[in-house]
């Protein structure tokens, strides 16, 4: 079975149906309003069969889809939903939707999790039949013929392929590069290693080049062969040429550098000889998977998933007949791979996971000599494991995209009125969410039509009859209240969200964190031949797009030269006055609106809000950036028409180290400290950034995590992170704090006593063993058996509350780290004896009767010092008397 976690449902609206979501997010979508339409509910389950599709006799997914089509054919206006039962739906082929699966206006077909269910859509095979290979510690098992993957998951976690760094291999000698590969005659250790491999083994080896084509990139190429007689490594083509010998182009405002042929790889992957604990290797010729368990892992107890599909779900209409009025909610999409980087074209990284897979002048159009393919910037995009093209009124709500080998989700090619809301994107090898296509900057240009069909759709033949024009533009997409984190796990130049060419896109109130590169990019490469001196070299259809009220933190953690929001190229449709000149007010209104975003902890950030090559017509307004890079706003060679207004920044703005823009207009901006506290940033801006109130308490928001604490030498501190709710407890020295101000899912304002340090502050109920300090009885790390809480007492209890028990044998247990412990409670005449045991030792009896016959609250009724430094467990047991009262503990550490 695949690991899964039950979560509580989310409520949206008053009249609703409850759904459960796989391992994470449950959503309640409003039911359709009463109408003349008939309603039909079909049922599916992983073990379903037949065509009844009832709750008693559910269908498989294909059977349910057939039932939906039949119902819609007989009753086109029906309200149809399919409830997916609990479990893993192991696909043998891509789950495909076409126009025949559409609902009608106001009556979408809804595919949703059944109440309480956690349906998981999987493209993997569970690997069984493991046998140990001698005494090596390596195990192997048979896999289906034709298996090919770049990922393997063990107990729901991606494990690395067999590999090692070059220093670990001891390849310290000299390598001489060439147009075909390397001569390694000067590296005896590397020669010996390759000489011991078969030709088939060598052809599987992959070299990794982080930063090879610029610090924002991570390219990968396979080795094609090795000649022992000449000590030469031949690299796979066209990958090697596309990494080391990219075509030059004219009028560039930004560079696309080639890597030196003499650059040694940083890492060597995909060789069985390099297996170490926790790694895998697939011998596709022998149809066998190898895995070396980590210490403590028992092979027979492991759930090993081998992805076999690249596409889990594909929704594809045509421009003339789109897939429309359809909703997917409460589902989890997992365990798909993306194998193209393993092929000869490899992963020749250009920027943001766009790569060169064809000739070395791909996408350079007439700016290269000889001319490359057009339009400018038409690079190859990562494959999305869930993809939609030519759709109308598509909704994806409350789903999880997790453990995927390509991009998580893509929407492009004429998609209109798309809602992507309340989803989680995590543990994804490439980009989280990909909007648009590199081949359609100007779809009204007839010369681009075939390229659009070939590269922006899954099946060019299916759209052969489409007439390409304005109808092909990605239009009116809303991306809101999503959580995107830990993406780019394999291709670290990935962005959380990549927006290419579109109109009316709104990316708002999302939380993006723990990202290897830029959080949101709007434009990749598309402005690299535009700047103030050549503003019209490349044009596009972008207009009316908005990026607002998003929360970013801990981005740019691996790659560099990026930001929280990165923008390139044209961003507005021009509005001309009657005299033919551009109307700046009207044009800016149609430009890119970047408002109300909050960013902090940008680790390798150049510019937090980055208007780079050819960027123009951008309204940066009301944004926040602190501890987020050398400059809050700026870039290299933007075209201009930039407004930076009413924002709160800890770093300078209008930083343009390359060519200056035509114009840059800054006003009303406020300088704040690099470590701001309460009051430095308007609470209204912080409150509006990140998930909206309906989503902050939902499971996809995650558990509370603190990533920022302002200086503690003040009466209050500002705490930043994610997963906060109005009910999130905050502790200082293990005592729960009162008066906490909930600002948003990303910020709290917390009163602290004098002498508090950042290390004294704990947010949330987690945190492992208790550490030095007082611990209130309400601390969730205390495990009670038979105790109840009483609040509002006036006897002097810590925070006015205690836990009490009346039944003998009731217990309170705490695990702590320290050298001493005190038990706080009450002495009163209605009490008796309690038992204390530490680390399972002999129970000591302690009386809680007062010697003076008077109540004493919040007193240490027991203490112990001199414990060995480390982690201990204390158990308090009621032995006698009417009551036993606990007011917490105090941990000491010598």
């Amino acid at each position: 079975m695949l690991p899964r976690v039950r979560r509580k449902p989310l409520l949206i609206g008053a009249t609703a149906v409850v759904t459960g979501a796989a391992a994470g997010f449950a959503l309640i979508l409003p039911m359709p309003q009463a109408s003349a339409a008939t309603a039909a509910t079909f049922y599916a389950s992983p073990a379903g069969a037949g065509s009844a599709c009832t709750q008693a006799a559910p269908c498989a997914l294909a059977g349910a889809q057939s039932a939906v089509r039949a119902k819609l054919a007989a009753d086109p206006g029906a309200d149809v939903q399919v409830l997916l039962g609990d479990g893993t739906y192991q696909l043998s082929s891509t789950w495909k939707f076409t126009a025949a699966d559409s609902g009608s206006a106001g009556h979408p077909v809804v595919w949703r999790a059944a109440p309480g269910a956690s349906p998981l859509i999987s493209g993997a095979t569970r690997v069984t039949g493991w046998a140990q290979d001698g005494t090596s510690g390596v195990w192997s098992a048979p896999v289906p013929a034709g298996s090919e993957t770049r990922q393997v998951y063990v107990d729901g976690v991606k494990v690395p392929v067999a590999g090692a760094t070059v220093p670990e291999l001891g390849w310290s000698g000299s390598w001489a590069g060439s147009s075909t590969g390397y001569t390694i005659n000067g590296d005896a250790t590397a020669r010996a290693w390759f000489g011991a491999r078969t030709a088939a083994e060598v052809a599987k080896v992959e070299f990794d080049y982080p930063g090879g084509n610029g610090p924002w990139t991570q390219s990968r190429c396979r080795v094609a062969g090795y000649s022992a007689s000449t000590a030469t490594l031949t690299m796979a083509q066209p990958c090697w040429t596309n990494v080391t010998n990219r075509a030059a182009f004219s009028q560039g405002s930004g560079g696309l550098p080639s890597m030196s042929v003499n650059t040694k790889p940083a890492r060597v992957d995909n060789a069985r000889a390099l297996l170490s604990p926790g790694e895998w290797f697939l011998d596709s010729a022998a149809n066998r998977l190898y895995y070396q368990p980590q210490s403590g892992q028992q092979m027979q107890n492991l759930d090993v998933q081998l992805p076999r599909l690249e596409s889990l779900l594909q929704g594809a209409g045509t421009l003339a007949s789109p897939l429309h009025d359809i909703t997917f909610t409460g589902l989890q999409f997992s365990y798909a791979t993306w194998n193209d980087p393993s092929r000869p074209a490899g992963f020749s990284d250009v920027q943001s996971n766009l790569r060169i897979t064809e000739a070395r002048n791909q996408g350079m159009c007439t700016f290269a000599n000889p001319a490359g393919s057009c339009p400018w910037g038409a690079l190859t995009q990562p494959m999305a494991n869930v993809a939609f093209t030519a759709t109308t009124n598509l909704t994806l709500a409350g789903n999880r995209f997790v453990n995927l080998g390509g991009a998580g989700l893509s929407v492009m090619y004429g998609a209109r009125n798309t809602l992507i809301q309340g989803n989680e994107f995590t543990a994804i090898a490439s980009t989280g969410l990909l909007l648009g296509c590199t081949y359609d900057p100007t779809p009204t240009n007839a010369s681009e039509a075939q390229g659009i069909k070939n590269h922006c759709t899954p099946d060019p033949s299916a759209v052969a009859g489409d007439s390409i024009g304005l109808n092909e533009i990605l239009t009116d997409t809303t991306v809101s209240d999503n959580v995107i984190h830990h993406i780019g796990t394999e291709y670290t130049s990935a962005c959380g969200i990549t927006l290419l060419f579109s109109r009316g896109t709104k990316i708002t109130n999302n939380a993006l964190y723990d990202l290897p590169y830029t959080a949101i990019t709007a434009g990749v490469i598309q402005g690299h031949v535009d700047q103030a001196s050549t503003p019209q070299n490349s044009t596009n259809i972008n207009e009316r797009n908005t990026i607002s009220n998003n929360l970013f933190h801990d981005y740019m953690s691996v790659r560099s030269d990026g930001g929280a929001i990165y923008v390139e190229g044209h961003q507005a449709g021009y509005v001309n006055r009657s005299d033919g000149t551009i109307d700046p007010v009207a044009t800016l209104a149609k430009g890119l609106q970047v408002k109300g975003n909050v960013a902090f902890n940008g680790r390798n950030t150049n510019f937090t809000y980055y208007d780079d090559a050819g960027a123009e017509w951008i309204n940066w307004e009301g944004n926040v950036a602190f501890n987020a890079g050398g400059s809050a706003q700026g870039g290299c060679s933007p075209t201009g028409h930039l407004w930076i207004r009413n924002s709160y920044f800890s770093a300078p703005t209008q930083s343009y180290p390359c060519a200056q823009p035509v114009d840059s207009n800054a006003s009303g901006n406020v300088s704040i400290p690099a470590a701001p506290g309460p009051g430095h940033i308007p609470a209204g801006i912080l409150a509006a950034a990140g998930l909206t109130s309906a989503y902050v308490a939902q499971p996809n928001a995650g558990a509370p995590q603190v990533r920022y604490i302002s200086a503690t030498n003040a009466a209050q501190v500002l705490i930043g992170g994610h997963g906060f709710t109005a009910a999130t407890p905050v502790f200082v020295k293990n005592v729960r704090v009162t008066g906490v101000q909930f600002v948003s899912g990303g910020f709290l304002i917390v009163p602290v006593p004098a002498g508090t340090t950042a290390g004294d502050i704990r947010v949330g109920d987690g945190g492992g063993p208790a550490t030095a300090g007082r611990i209130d009885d309400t601390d969730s790390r205390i495990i009670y058996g038979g105790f109840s809480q009483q609040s509002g007492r006036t006897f002097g209890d810590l925070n006015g509350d205690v836990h009490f028990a009346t039944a003998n044998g009731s217990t309170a247990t705490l695990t702590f780290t320290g050298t001493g412990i005190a038990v706080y409670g009450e002495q009163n005449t209605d009490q008796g004896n309690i038992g204390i045991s530490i680390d399972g030792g002999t129970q000591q009896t302690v009386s809680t009767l007062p010697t003076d016959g008077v109540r004493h609250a919040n007193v240490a009724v027991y203490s112990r010092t001199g414990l060995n430094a480390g982690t201990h467990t204390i158990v308090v047991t009621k032995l006698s008397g009417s009551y036993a009262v606990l007011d917490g503990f105090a941990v000491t550490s010598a």
Side-chain angles (χ1 to χ4, degrees), residues 310-514:
E310 293 184 287
S311 174
L312 287 177
L313 190 157
Q314 175 185 297
T318 67
L319 298 181
S321 182
L323 167 64
H324 62 91
D325 297 289
I326 190 165
T327 295
F328 298 90
T329 181
L331 312 181
Q332 177 171 323
F333 300 97
S334 293
Y335 306 125
T337 189
W338 174 41
N339 291 314
D340 203 46
S342 298
R343 301 191 174 105
F347 198 85
S348 176
D349 197 3
V350 177
Q351 185 179 342
S352 302
N353 276 201
L354 302 189
R355 62 197 175 110
I356 301 174
T357 60
E358 300 169 4
R360 68 190 189 98
N361 56 1
Q362 178 184 345
M364 295 183 184
C365 206
T366 57
F367 298 95
N369 186 15
S373 57
C374 293
W376 168 263
L379 299 173
T380 303
Q381 299 173 219
M383 177 183 183
N385 299 125
V386 178
F388 292 91
T389 55
T391 59
T392 302
N393 300 332
L394 164 69
T395 295
L396 296 151
N399 304 292
R400 297 188 77 226
F401 299 82
V402 58
N403 286 340
L404 297 171
L409 170 66
S410 69
V411 181
M412 63 184 76
Y413 189 70
R416 292 173 176 269
N417 301 324
T418 304
L419 176 63
I420 302 167
Q421 186 172 47
N423 305 284
E424 182 181 15
F425 298 82
T426 188
I428 295 171
S430 182
T431 302
L433 173 59
L434 180 57
L435 302 173
C437 180
T438 58
Y439 280 79
D440 64 355
T442 52
T444 54
N445 186 339
S447 65
E448 296 179 11
Q450 193 56 50
I452 291 171
K453 294 178 181 180
N454 291 343
H455 297 279
C456 304
T457 71
D459 183 2
S461 64
V463 296
D466 278 352
S467 178
I468 304 293
L470 295 177
N471 58 338
E472 194 276 334
I473 297 173
L474 178 67
T475 303
D476 294 337
T477 302
T478 298
V479 179
S480 65
D481 290 294
N482 301 284
V483 178
I484 302 175
H485 62 104
H486 296 96
I487 57 86
T489 58
E490 190 164 331
Y491 312 103
T492 58
S493 69
C495 299
I497 300 174
T498 294
L499 173 64
L500 296 170
F501 307 109
S502 73
R503 290 180 175 174
T505 297
K506 295 180 177 64
I507 301 174
T508 184
N509 289 112
N510 303 284
L512 298 95
Y513 56 86
D514 291 333

Side-chain angles (χ1 to χ4, degrees), residues 512-526:
L512 298 95
Y513 56 86
D514 291 333
L515 307 173
Y517 186 51
T518 293
I520 298 176
T521 187
V524 183
I525 306 303
Q526 63 194 54

